[in-house]
Amino acid sequence: MRSQGQAAWELLLPAAGAPPRRRGRALQEALREAVRSGRLAAGTRLPSTRALAADLGVSRGLVTEAYEQLTAEGYLRSDRGAGTWVGGAARAATRGARDLAAGTPGIRIDFRPGTPDLSLFPRSAWAAAQRSVLTRLPHPSLGYPDPRGLPALREALAALLARRRGVVADPERLVVCSGVAQASTLLGFVLRARGHDRVGIEDPGSPEHGRLFASTGLDTVWLPLDEDGLRPGPLADSGVRAVVVTPSHQFPSGISWSAERRAALLDWARAVDGYVLEDDYDGDFRYDRAPVGALQGLDPERVAYAGSVSKSLAPGLRLGWLLVPEALLDEVVERKRTMDLGNPVLDQAVLAEFVTRGGYDRQLRRCQRAYRERRDALLAALAEHLPGTRVSGIAAGLHVIARVPAGFGPPERFLARAAEAGVALRSLEEYGTARPADGDVRLVIGYAHLAPSAVTTGIRLVAEALGRG
Ligand SMILES: Cc1ncc(COP(=O)(O)O)c(C=O)c1O
């Protein structure tokens, strides 16, 4: 039975806010709809009536009534001692609804990486922070903000990043922006104005980096990686004086850069009077040990550090940050000012409230639990259905690299069969220039947005499509 940690009880909040006379019925409808739509998957354990009533701010009697009603209807099952969980009878409806929810016609299970589980967004805590901000924010705070962002948010983020990621975080040097994407373009424009014409990117790496820098007039140069990080020889030979890297959990290979390569990169940056943009896109999630601290902590004058809430809360919030070396600060801030005069004040104030009240840490703990469980489910499914598959990279983030033996290939056939079975997968080749000829299928599998049962189903469907089920 699956634990309740991954369920999205916030789904029920609108019902809990219904007028008292309709509240009981609204709660039952919302719960029924959550099961039907697949938001609450078969096997998901429900919280105790006492806990859910407290979370939703409704009477326990209403929750008990809803559980009893839905149990009678077959949506839920309950057992004295084992509690209440989503029943298997709803499974057929659940699967159909999830197929629709996958978004792209024909896709049943979408393993493409990049998205967290959006149903884990902490709606009730966010709503509370919003209410609190609207109540107490003084009128003058609604004027044009400092283009760097609200002081309260910059202070909260500086403390958070110093504590969680080991960065040297001076609130004066922190620029709130709309994600790593804007952080990259801010820095790109500044480098371009300083005479840079090319930026190095990791190979394999995120194609998005290339597109973002292109929008600032900068070309990008692929720089090869090995299992320790960027190879120093090609980096030195490239002639670039700026690179963007993902050292904590390299995207997409999943390695963590070795200490030697981190030091070598900083030596290089000092030698060429260059800069490093550290994209810490998913640095908070590590499942086997504490995350390795950010590179920026080793040399804040050479490393600009970028992060966002896109993986921890939701990419749609478009909220992120850039910690800027002193020498570039004025130019970056002026760019931010001329771009949009600063990020929306209310969003910033809500995030500040959420961070300072401990909501952000709680959210990370909650996601960490859910994602670790999903990663375990993926590894188990690969071992069972595609035996011989090797998973590489550290136990971290929202995706893994899986190398499926040539016997299941060739890669084009493998991907085509998976697609026919309704399973969307990305191959590692889409992220770089390497084209190994060994016949193995190298996959970048995103798992965090999928329930463990969907992860298992997806891998089983691929194996069946290959005639290996
Ligand atoms: C490597 C990498 N960096 C950064 C991001 C996130 O960018 P943003 O913070 O602008 O949402 C992504 C998005 O998936 C990514 O894959």
Side-chain angles (χ1 to χ4, degrees):
M1 198 183 300
R2 297 169 46 217
S3 80
Q4 64 189 49
Q6 57 209 269
W9 309 118
E10 285 90 352
L11 288 172
L12 307 175
L13 270 178
R21 256 183 335 109
R22 293 214 310 273
R23 198 169 292 154
R25 176 175 289 243
L27 190 62
Q28 291 175 23
E29 278 168 4
L31 201 50
R32 204 180 283 114
E33 180 51 28
V35 175
R36 248 196 235 122
S37 68
R39 303 275 299 270
L40 290 179
T44 302
R45 191 164 8 141
L46 273 72
S48 68
T49 51
R50 185 196 306 270
L52 186 58
D55 271 8
L56 297 175
V58 302
S59 78
R60 193 174 169 193
L62 279 192
V63 177
T64 307
E65 214 174 283
Y67 280 15
E68 284 172 1
Q69 178 64 27
L70 269 80
T71 303
E73 292 174 9
Y75 286 90
L76 303 181
R77 292 182 59 194
S78 63
D79 200 347
R80 195 173 289 279
T84 303
W85 64 97
V86 178
R91 199 171 285 156
T94 298
R95 188 170 297 155
R98 190 174 295 124
D99 294 348
L100 291 178
T104 315
I107 294 186
R108 297 173 67 182
I109 308 283
D110 191 347
F111 280 122
R112 289 174 295 186
T115 317
D117 185 343
L118 302 175
S119 76
L120 292 178
F121 184 76
R123 287 177 190 251
S124 52
W126 197 260
Q130 257 171 342
R131 266 195 308 277
S132 152
V133 160
L134 281 170
T135 309
R136 61 163 181 72
L137 201 70
H139 298 321
S141 298
L142 293 170
Y144 286 110
D146 181 329
R148 290 174 301 176
L150 281 191
L153 178 58
R154 287 188 281 117
E155 275 157 31
L157 286 175
L160 177 86
L161 296 171
R163 172 167 58 82
R164 290 199 77 99
R165 305 295 302 121
V167 300
V168 176
D170 176 353
E172 297 300 309
R173 287 212 226 164
L174 202 143
V175 178
V176 176
C177 57
S178 47
V180 172
Q182 193 184 42
S184 305
T185 51
L186 285 169
L187 196 71
F189 279 122
V190 167
L191 293 174
R192 184 79 189 97
R194 285 181 158 230
H196 290 245
D197 53 12
R198 295 177 311 148
V199 171
I201 56 173
E202 296 168 312
D203 182 7
S206 168
E208 194 60 15
H209 285 142
R211 290 189 280 270
L212 291 167
F213 286 113
S215 77
T216 70
L218 288 166
D219 288 331
T220 42
V221 181
W222 290 110
L223 296 171
L225 280 173
D226 60 22
E227 58 282 2
D228 287 320
L230 272 191
R231 287 171 46 207
L235 170 63
D237 294 345
S238 70
V240 300
R241 288 194 303 116
V243 291
V244 51
V245 293
T246 50
S248 296
H249 184 226
Q250 202 277 329
F251 187 85
S253 76
I255 63 159
S256 175
W257 283 38
S258 68
E260 291 74 22
R261 288 295 170 81
R262 287 165 194 253
L265 181 72
L266 297 176
D267 286 344
W268 164 85
R270 290 177 205 120
V272 301
D273 189 21
Y275 290 101
V276 174
L277 174 59
E278 177 175 22
D279 173 359
D280 200 24
Y281 68 104
D282 71 357
D284 274 309
F285 297 124
R286 177 101 195 216
Y287 309 120
D288 53 345
R289 45 162 287 174
V292 176
L295 181 71
Q296 188 265 7
L298 297 175
D299 194 341
E301 302 310 331
R302 291 287 163 197
V303 182
Y305 171 91
S308 75
V309 301
S310 292
K311 303 289 190 275
S312 50
L313 286 166
L317 291 184
R318 306 312 305 136
L319 267 172
W321 43 85
L322 177 63
L323 260 168
V324 191
E326 180 71 43
L328 303 179
L329 183 61
D330 289 348
E331 290 149 84
V332 168
V333 174
E334 182 55 11
R335 258 300 155 182
K336 176 66 179 160
R337 199 185 68 75
T338 53
M339 232 182 225
D340 55 18
L341 301 184
N343 272 53
V345 167
L346 288 179
D347 296 349
Q348 294 189 60
V350 172
L351 181 60
E353 172 91 5
F354 189 70
V355 170
T356 43
R357 293 277 173 101
Y360 198 79
D361 286 311
R362 272 194 295 282
Q363 170 72 0
L364 290 178
R365 283 198 296 275
R366 187 174 176 217
C367 293
Q368 172 100 0
R369 276 196 302 275
Y371 297 164
R372 177 189 288 138
E373 187 186 353
R374 292 161 198 210
R375 188 176 187 278
D376 290 347
L378 175 61
L379 269 47
L382 289 169
E384 182 180 345
H385 298 294
L386 298 172
T389 296
R390 275 177 289 156
V391 168
S392 58
I394 57 172
L398 315 185
H399 74 276
V400 299
I401 297 292
R403 185 166 164 181
V404 186
F408 290 98
E412 306 72 40
R413 177 175 167 275
F414 185 99
L415 293 167
R417 286 283 152 83
E420 282 159 24
V423 180
L425 281 167
R426 283 247 147 95
S427 116
L428 183 57
E429 292 189 355
E430 295 177 47
Y431 296 88
T433 62
R435 301 286 177 268
D438 54 20
D440 289 355
V441 187
R442 291 169 174 77
L443 302 169
V444 184
I445 307 181
Y447 53 80
H449 56 296
L450 298 167
S453 58
V455 169
T456 309
T457 303
I459 299 301
R460 183 175 50 72
L461 286 172
V462 174
E464 284 171 3
L466 294 163
R468 304 299 189 100

